[in-house]
Structure formats: C-alpha cells, structure tokens
Short mmCIF file of all heavy atoms in Angstrom, two decimals:
data_model
loop_
_atom_site.label_atom_id
_atom_site.label_comp_id
_atom_site.label_asym_id
_atom_site.label_seq_id
_atom_site.Cartn_x
_atom_site.Cartn_y
_atom_site.Cartn_z
N VAL A 1 0.84 -1.20 0.00
CA VAL A 1 0.00 0.00 0.00
C VAL A 1 0.88 1.25 0.00
O VAL A 1 0.59 2.22 -0.70
CB VAL A 1 -0.98 0.00 1.20
CG1 VAL A 1 -1.73 1.32 1.28
CG2 VAL A 1 -1.96 -1.16 1.09
N LEU A 2 1.98 1.23 0.74
CA LEU A 2 2.87 2.39 0.81
C LEU A 2 3.52 2.70 -0.54
O LEU A 2 3.98 3.82 -0.75
CB LEU A 2 3.95 2.17 1.88
CG LEU A 2 3.47 2.34 3.32
CD1 LEU A 2 4.53 1.86 4.30
CD2 LEU A 2 3.07 3.79 3.60
N GLU A 3 3.55 1.75 -1.45
CA GLU A 3 4.05 2.03 -2.79
C GLU A 3 3.12 3.00 -3.53
O GLU A 3 3.53 3.64 -4.50
CB GLU A 3 4.18 0.74 -3.60
CG GLU A 3 5.30 -0.15 -3.15
CD GLU A 3 5.42 -1.39 -4.01
OE1 GLU A 3 4.98 -1.37 -5.18
OE2 GLU A 3 5.96 -2.40 -3.51
N TYR A 4 1.87 3.09 -3.08
CA TYR A 4 0.87 3.93 -3.74
C TYR A 4 0.51 5.17 -2.93
O TYR A 4 0.20 6.21 -3.50
CB TYR A 4 -0.40 3.12 -4.02
CG TYR A 4 -0.14 2.01 -4.99
CD1 TYR A 4 0.29 0.76 -4.55
CD2 TYR A 4 -0.28 2.21 -6.36
CE1 TYR A 4 0.56 -0.26 -5.45
CE2 TYR A 4 -0.02 1.20 -7.27
CZ TYR A 4 0.41 -0.04 -6.79
OH TYR A 4 0.68 -1.04 -7.70
N THR A 5 0.48 5.05 -1.61
CA THR A 5 0.09 6.17 -0.77
C THR A 5 0.52 5.92 0.67
O THR A 5 0.64 4.77 1.10
CB THR A 5 -1.43 6.42 -0.82
OG1 THR A 5 -1.74 7.62 -0.10
CG2 THR A 5 -2.22 5.26 -0.25
N ASP A 6 0.72 7.03 1.40
CA ASP A 6 0.95 6.91 2.83
C ASP A 6 -0.27 7.38 3.61
O ASP A 6 -0.24 7.51 4.82
CB ASP A 6 2.20 7.70 3.25
CG ASP A 6 2.08 9.19 2.97
OD1 ASP A 6 1.07 9.63 2.37
OD2 ASP A 6 3.01 9.92 3.35
N ARG A 7 -1.36 7.60 2.90
CA ARG A 7 -2.62 8.03 3.51
C ARG A 7 -3.38 6.77 3.97
O ARG A 7 -4.33 6.36 3.34
CB ARG A 7 -3.42 8.85 2.51
CG ARG A 7 -2.65 10.11 2.07
CD ARG A 7 -3.22 10.75 0.82
NE ARG A 7 -4.59 11.18 0.96
CZ ARG A 7 -4.96 12.41 1.32
NH1 ARG A 7 -4.05 13.32 1.59
NH2 ARG A 7 -6.22 12.72 1.42
N ILE A 8 -2.90 6.19 5.06
CA ILE A 8 -3.38 4.89 5.51
C ILE A 8 -3.91 4.97 6.94
O ILE A 8 -3.23 5.49 7.83
CB ILE A 8 -2.25 3.84 5.45
CG1 ILE A 8 -1.69 3.72 4.04
CG2 ILE A 8 -2.74 2.48 5.97
CD1 ILE A 8 -0.41 2.91 3.94
N ILE A 9 -5.09 4.43 7.13
CA ILE A 9 -5.67 4.23 8.46
C ILE A 9 -5.77 2.73 8.65
O ILE A 9 -6.35 2.04 7.81
CB ILE A 9 -7.06 4.88 8.58
CG1 ILE A 9 -6.96 6.39 8.36
CG2 ILE A 9 -7.69 4.54 9.93
CD1 ILE A 9 -8.30 7.08 8.21
N LEU A 10 -5.20 2.22 9.72
CA LEU A 10 -5.24 0.79 10.00
C LEU A 10 -5.93 0.58 11.33
O LEU A 10 -5.59 1.25 12.32
CB LEU A 10 -3.83 0.21 10.02
CG LEU A 10 -3.79 -1.31 10.05
CD1 LEU A 10 -2.70 -1.83 9.16
CD2 LEU A 10 -3.69 -1.85 11.45
N VAL A 11 -6.89 -0.33 11.36
CA VAL A 11 -7.58 -0.65 12.60
C VAL A 11 -7.16 -2.05 13.04
O VAL A 11 -7.46 -3.04 12.37
CB VAL A 11 -9.12 -0.58 12.44
CG1 VAL A 11 -9.79 -0.92 13.77
CG2 VAL A 11 -9.55 0.79 11.95
N ASN A 12 -6.42 -2.10 14.15
CA ASN A 12 -6.04 -3.36 14.77
C ASN A 12 -7.21 -3.77 15.66
O ASN A 12 -7.42 -3.20 16.72
CB ASN A 12 -4.75 -3.18 15.59
CG ASN A 12 -4.39 -4.43 16.36
OD1 ASN A 12 -5.09 -5.44 16.34
ND2 ASN A 12 -3.29 -4.35 17.09
N ASP A 13 -7.97 -4.73 15.19
CA ASP A 13 -9.20 -5.12 15.87
C ASP A 13 -8.96 -6.18 16.95
O ASP A 13 -9.48 -7.28 16.89
CB ASP A 13 -10.22 -5.61 14.85
CG ASP A 13 -11.60 -5.80 15.46
OD1 ASP A 13 -11.91 -5.14 16.46
OD2 ASP A 13 -12.36 -6.63 14.92
N GLY A 14 -8.11 -5.84 17.92
CA GLY A 14 -7.86 -6.73 19.05
C GLY A 14 -7.01 -7.94 18.70
O GLY A 14 -7.17 -9.00 19.33
N ALA A 15 -6.11 -7.80 17.76
CA ALA A 15 -5.28 -8.93 17.34
C ALA A 15 -4.46 -9.48 18.52
O ALA A 15 -3.97 -8.72 19.36
CB ALA A 15 -4.35 -8.52 16.20
N THR A 16 -4.33 -10.80 18.54
CA THR A 16 -3.57 -11.47 19.59
C THR A 16 -2.27 -12.09 19.05
O THR A 16 -1.58 -12.79 19.78
CB THR A 16 -4.42 -12.57 20.26
OG1 THR A 16 -4.86 -13.49 19.25
CG2 THR A 16 -5.63 -11.96 20.96
N ASP A 17 -1.96 -11.82 17.79
CA ASP A 17 -0.73 -12.33 17.18
C ASP A 17 0.33 -11.22 17.21
O ASP A 17 0.32 -10.37 18.09
CB ASP A 17 -1.00 -12.87 15.77
CG ASP A 17 -1.55 -11.80 14.83
OD1 ASP A 17 -1.64 -10.61 15.24
OD2 ASP A 17 -1.88 -12.14 13.69
N ASP A 18 1.24 -11.19 16.26
CA ASP A 18 2.32 -10.21 16.23
C ASP A 18 1.94 -8.89 15.56
O ASP A 18 2.83 -8.08 15.24
CB ASP A 18 3.54 -10.79 15.51
CG ASP A 18 4.20 -11.90 16.30
OD1 ASP A 18 4.09 -11.88 17.55
OD2 ASP A 18 4.83 -12.79 15.69
N THR A 19 0.66 -8.64 15.35
CA THR A 19 0.22 -7.43 14.66
C THR A 19 0.77 -6.16 15.31
O THR A 19 1.29 -5.28 14.62
CB THR A 19 -1.32 -7.38 14.60
OG1 THR A 19 -1.77 -8.45 13.75
CG2 THR A 19 -1.83 -6.06 14.06
N ALA A 20 0.68 -6.04 16.63
CA ALA A 20 1.13 -4.82 17.31
C ALA A 20 2.61 -4.55 17.06
O ALA A 20 3.00 -3.40 16.81
CB ALA A 20 0.84 -4.92 18.81
N SER A 21 3.45 -5.58 17.11
CA SER A 21 4.88 -5.36 16.88
C SER A 21 5.16 -4.98 15.43
O SER A 21 6.05 -4.18 15.15
CB SER A 21 5.70 -6.58 17.30
OG SER A 21 5.37 -7.70 16.52
N ILE A 22 4.40 -5.53 14.50
CA ILE A 22 4.54 -5.16 13.09
C ILE A 22 4.18 -3.69 12.91
O ILE A 22 4.88 -2.93 12.23
CB ILE A 22 3.67 -6.06 12.19
CG1 ILE A 22 4.23 -7.48 12.18
CG2 ILE A 22 3.57 -5.50 10.76
CD1 ILE A 22 3.32 -8.51 11.57
N LEU A 23 3.09 -3.26 13.52
CA LEU A 23 2.64 -1.88 13.36
C LEU A 23 3.63 -0.87 13.92
O LEU A 23 3.69 0.27 13.45
CB LEU A 23 1.26 -1.70 13.99
CG LEU A 23 0.14 -2.50 13.31
CD1 LEU A 23 -1.18 -2.29 14.03
CD2 LEU A 23 0.03 -2.13 11.83
N GLN A 24 4.42 -1.26 14.91
CA GLN A 24 5.42 -0.36 15.47
C GLN A 24 6.47 0.01 14.43
O GLN A 24 7.13 1.04 14.55
CB GLN A 24 6.09 -0.99 16.69
CG GLN A 24 5.17 -1.06 17.88
CD GLN A 24 5.81 -1.76 19.08
OE1 GLN A 24 6.88 -2.35 18.97
NE2 GLN A 24 5.14 -1.68 20.21
N ARG A 25 6.63 -0.79 13.39
CA ARG A 25 7.61 -0.52 12.33
C ARG A 25 7.09 0.51 11.33
O ARG A 25 7.83 0.91 10.43
CB ARG A 25 7.95 -1.81 11.59
CG ARG A 25 8.60 -2.83 12.46
CD ARG A 25 8.90 -4.11 11.68
NE ARG A 25 8.74 -5.22 12.61
CZ ARG A 25 8.32 -6.43 12.29
NH1 ARG A 25 8.01 -6.71 11.04
NH2 ARG A 25 8.21 -7.37 13.20
N PHE A 26 5.84 0.95 11.48
CA PHE A 26 5.22 1.86 10.52
C PHE A 26 4.64 3.08 11.24
O PHE A 26 3.42 3.25 11.32
CB PHE A 26 4.13 1.14 9.73
CG PHE A 26 4.64 0.00 8.90
CD1 PHE A 26 4.61 -1.30 9.39
CD2 PHE A 26 5.18 0.23 7.64
CE1 PHE A 26 5.08 -2.36 8.63
CE2 PHE A 26 5.67 -0.82 6.88
CZ PHE A 26 5.61 -2.12 7.36
N PRO A 27 5.49 3.96 11.76
CA PRO A 27 4.99 5.11 12.51
C PRO A 27 4.20 6.10 11.65
O PRO A 27 3.47 6.93 12.19
CB PRO A 27 6.26 5.76 13.08
CG PRO A 27 7.35 5.31 12.15
CD PRO A 27 6.95 3.94 11.67
N GLN A 28 4.32 6.02 10.33
CA GLN A 28 3.61 6.94 9.45
C GLN A 28 2.12 6.60 9.30
O GLN A 28 1.35 7.38 8.77
CB GLN A 28 4.28 7.01 8.07
CG GLN A 28 4.17 5.74 7.22
CD GLN A 28 5.27 4.73 7.45
OE1 GLN A 28 5.60 4.39 8.58
NE2 GLN A 28 5.84 4.22 6.36
N LEU A 29 1.70 5.43 9.79
CA LEU A 29 0.30 5.04 9.69
C LEU A 29 -0.52 5.67 10.80
O LEU A 29 -0.03 5.90 11.90
CB LEU A 29 0.15 3.52 9.81
CG LEU A 29 0.94 2.63 8.86
CD1 LEU A 29 0.61 1.16 9.14
CD2 LEU A 29 0.66 2.98 7.42
N THR A 30 -1.79 5.92 10.50
CA THR A 30 -2.75 6.25 11.55
C THR A 30 -3.30 4.91 12.04
O THR A 30 -3.91 4.18 11.25
CB THR A 30 -3.89 7.12 11.00
OG1 THR A 30 -3.33 8.34 10.52
CG2 THR A 30 -4.93 7.39 12.08
N VAL A 31 -3.06 4.57 13.30
CA VAL A 31 -3.47 3.27 13.83
C VAL A 31 -4.53 3.47 14.92
O VAL A 31 -4.34 4.26 15.83
CB VAL A 31 -2.27 2.48 14.39
CG1 VAL A 31 -2.73 1.17 15.02
CG2 VAL A 31 -1.25 2.21 13.29
N ILE A 32 -5.60 2.74 14.77
CA ILE A 32 -6.64 2.67 15.79
C ILE A 32 -6.55 1.26 16.36
O ILE A 32 -6.53 0.28 15.60
CB ILE A 32 -8.04 2.90 15.19
CG1 ILE A 32 -8.11 4.29 14.55
CG2 ILE A 32 -9.13 2.70 16.24
CD1 ILE A 32 -9.33 4.47 13.67
N THR A 33 -6.50 1.14 17.68
CA THR A 33 -6.38 -0.18 18.30
C THR A 33 -7.59 -0.47 19.17
O THR A 33 -7.89 0.31 20.07
CB THR A 33 -5.09 -0.27 19.13
OG1 THR A 33 -3.98 -0.03 18.27
CG2 THR A 33 -4.95 -1.64 19.77
N HIS A 34 -8.26 -1.56 18.87
CA HIS A 34 -9.32 -2.07 19.74
C HIS A 34 -8.65 -3.03 20.72
O HIS A 34 -7.98 -3.98 20.28
CB HIS A 34 -10.37 -2.83 18.95
CG HIS A 34 -11.16 -2.00 18.01
ND1 HIS A 34 -11.96 -2.54 17.03
CD2 HIS A 34 -11.29 -0.65 17.87
CE1 HIS A 34 -12.55 -1.59 16.36
NE2 HIS A 34 -12.15 -0.43 16.85
N PRO A 35 -8.82 -2.83 22.03
CA PRO A 35 -8.19 -3.76 22.99
C PRO A 35 -8.70 -5.19 22.82
O PRO A 35 -7.94 -6.14 23.01
CB PRO A 35 -8.60 -3.20 24.35
CG PRO A 35 -9.01 -1.79 24.09
CD PRO A 35 -9.50 -1.73 22.68
N LEU A 36 -9.96 -5.33 22.47
CA LEU A 36 -10.55 -6.65 22.22
C LEU A 36 -11.17 -6.65 20.82
O LEU A 36 -11.56 -5.59 20.32
CB LEU A 36 -11.65 -6.95 23.25
CG LEU A 36 -11.20 -6.98 24.72
CD1 LEU A 36 -12.42 -7.10 25.63
CD2 LEU A 36 -10.23 -8.12 24.96
N ASN A 37 -11.29 -7.82 20.24
CA ASN A 37 -11.89 -7.95 18.92
C ASN A 37 -13.36 -7.51 18.95
O ASN A 37 -14.14 -8.02 19.74
CB ASN A 37 -11.78 -9.41 18.45
CG ASN A 37 -12.37 -9.61 17.07
OD1 ASN A 37 -13.47 -10.08 16.95
ND2 ASN A 37 -11.63 -9.22 16.07
N GLU A 38 -13.70 -6.54 18.11
CA GLU A 38 -15.06 -6.03 18.03
C GLU A 38 -15.75 -6.41 16.72
O GLU A 38 -16.90 -6.07 16.50
CB GLU A 38 -15.07 -4.51 18.20
CG GLU A 38 -14.57 -4.05 19.55
CD GLU A 38 -14.64 -2.54 19.72
OE1 GLU A 38 -15.57 -1.91 19.18
OE2 GLU A 38 -13.74 -2.00 20.40
N GLY A 39 -15.01 -7.06 15.82
CA GLY A 39 -15.57 -7.47 14.54
C GLY A 39 -15.22 -6.49 13.44
O GLY A 39 -14.96 -5.31 13.67
N LYS A 40 -15.22 -7.01 12.22
CA LYS A 40 -14.82 -6.21 11.07
C LYS A 40 -15.74 -5.00 10.86
O LYS A 40 -15.28 -3.92 10.50
CB LYS A 40 -14.80 -7.08 9.81
CG LYS A 40 -14.28 -6.35 8.60
CD LYS A 40 -14.17 -7.28 7.40
CE LYS A 40 -13.65 -6.56 6.19
NZ LYS A 40 -13.57 -7.48 5.03
N GLY A 41 -17.03 -5.18 11.09
CA GLY A 41 -17.96 -4.07 10.92
C GLY A 41 -17.61 -2.89 11.80
O GLY A 41 -17.62 -1.74 11.35
N MET A 42 -17.30 -3.15 13.05
CA MET A 42 -16.94 -2.07 13.97
C MET A 42 -15.58 -1.48 13.60
O MET A 42 -15.38 -0.27 13.71
CB MET A 42 -16.95 -2.57 15.41
CG MET A 42 -16.93 -1.45 16.42
SD MET A 42 -18.29 -0.27 16.27
CE MET A 42 -19.65 -1.21 16.93
N ALA A 43 -14.66 -2.33 13.16
CA ALA A 43 -13.35 -1.83 12.72
C ALA A 43 -13.53 -0.87 11.54
O ALA A 43 -12.93 0.21 11.51
CB ALA A 43 -12.43 -2.99 12.34
N LEU A 44 -14.37 -1.24 10.60
CA LEU A 44 -14.64 -0.36 9.46
C LEU A 44 -15.31 0.93 9.93
O LEU A 44 -14.96 2.03 9.48
CB LEU A 44 -15.51 -1.07 8.42
CG LEU A 44 -14.82 -2.19 7.64
CD1 LEU A 44 -15.83 -2.96 6.81
CD2 LEU A 44 -13.71 -1.62 6.75
N ARG A 45 -16.27 0.80 10.80
CA ARG A 45 -16.99 1.98 11.30
C ARG A 45 -16.03 2.98 11.95
O ARG A 45 -16.08 4.18 11.68
CB ARG A 45 -18.04 1.51 12.30
CG ARG A 45 -19.02 2.54 12.71
CD ARG A 45 -20.05 1.88 13.58
NE ARG A 45 -21.14 2.78 13.81
CZ ARG A 45 -22.22 2.48 14.47
NH1 ARG A 45 -22.38 1.26 14.96
NH2 ARG A 45 -23.16 3.35 14.65
N HIS A 46 -15.14 2.48 12.81
CA HIS A 46 -14.18 3.37 13.46
C HIS A 46 -13.18 3.94 12.45
O HIS A 46 -12.77 5.10 12.56
CB HIS A 46 -13.46 2.65 14.59
CG HIS A 46 -14.35 2.37 15.76
ND1 HIS A 46 -14.15 1.32 16.62
CD2 HIS A 46 -15.47 3.00 16.21
CE1 HIS A 46 -15.09 1.32 17.54
NE2 HIS A 46 -15.91 2.33 17.31
#
C-alpha cells in the first residue's frame, strides 16, 4: 500500500498475534487499536 500512498488508516481489531509489533515498524500510519476484537464491521466503522 505504501508504494501507492501513505494516507493509511489501519484498525487493529484486538489482534492477539504479532500485529502490534509489526505496526510499530510503521509510525507513518494512523493506527486505531481495539483492545478486544469487536468485529470487522466495527473496525470499518471506526
């Protein structure tokens, strides 16, 4: 995605894998983090 734009909003919907550590490598992203999984619909809404 960064090859095309840096205008990125990413919603971490309560991931329990290595998602958080991966996102730390991309400080240019706007990241919204749900502490617990709320579902894709809520992630999209936020």
Side-chain angles (χ1 to χ4, degrees):
V1 173
L2 285 169
E3 289 182 24
Y4 296 88
T5 186
D6 62 355
R7 299 164 61 93
I8 302 169
I9 298 169
L10 191 140
V11 181
N12 175 358
D13 190 26
T16 57
D17 60 5
D18 290 333
T19 293
S21 63
I22 291 168
L23 295 178
Q24 289 177 350
R25 297 179 214 148
F26 297 96
Q28 69 272 48
L29 305 182
T30 299
V31 176
I32 299 167
T33 301
H34 294 167
L36 300 173
N37 181 259
E38 297 182 34
K40 185 176 180 181
M42 194 57 75
L44 289 170
R45 190 175 190 176
H46 290 152

